[in-house]
Amino acid sequence: MTAAPSTLAASDTRTAPNVSPMSWRRIALVAVAVGVAYAGLSQYVVWLSDPVNAGAGFWPAAGVTLAALLLTPRRAWLPIVLAVGVAEIALDLSH
């Protein structure tokens, strides 16, 4: 026996998950965190081996950047890419 549609709607207590879009404050925090992680991992690779003479066998900083881009909405991509760009330029100028 099936219940009437109005009865099912009234007894259904499931709700949609509360998914709010990322705020600009959170996007800025993610961008800064990705920029710092990129800089730290880049320095680690430079410290581990000389990428100029031997070539970098791996670049984990690029993986962190890719993961951040895949896990965030598109409107967060520009601040993340800018943070990574600033980190890259700052590290290039320091060497």
Side-chain angles (χ1 to χ4, degrees):
M1 213 185 255
T2 60
S6 62
T7 308
L8 285 177
S11 66
D12 191 12
T13 58
R14 293 178 296 162
T15 58
N18 187 9
V19 179
S20 61
M22 291 180 73
S23 67
W24 282 106
R25 180 178 292 168
R26 187 167 184 166
I27 290 173
L29 180 66
V30 168
V32 169
V34 170
V36 169
Y38 185 92
L41 288 170
S42 296
Q43 282 298 100
Y44 175 71
V45 170
V46 169
W47 172 77
L48 190 63
S49 63
D50 185 15
V52 174
N53 294 329
F58 68 101
W59 200 256
V64 169
T65 304
L66 178 62
L69 292 175
L70 291 175
L71 293 173
T72 56
R74 280 192 178 171
R75 69 186 189 114
W77 289 4
L78 180 62
I80 290 171
V81 170
L82 289 175
V84 168
V86 167
E88 180 66 34
I89 291 171
L91 289 172
D92 286 347
L93 291 176
S94 70
H95 290 285

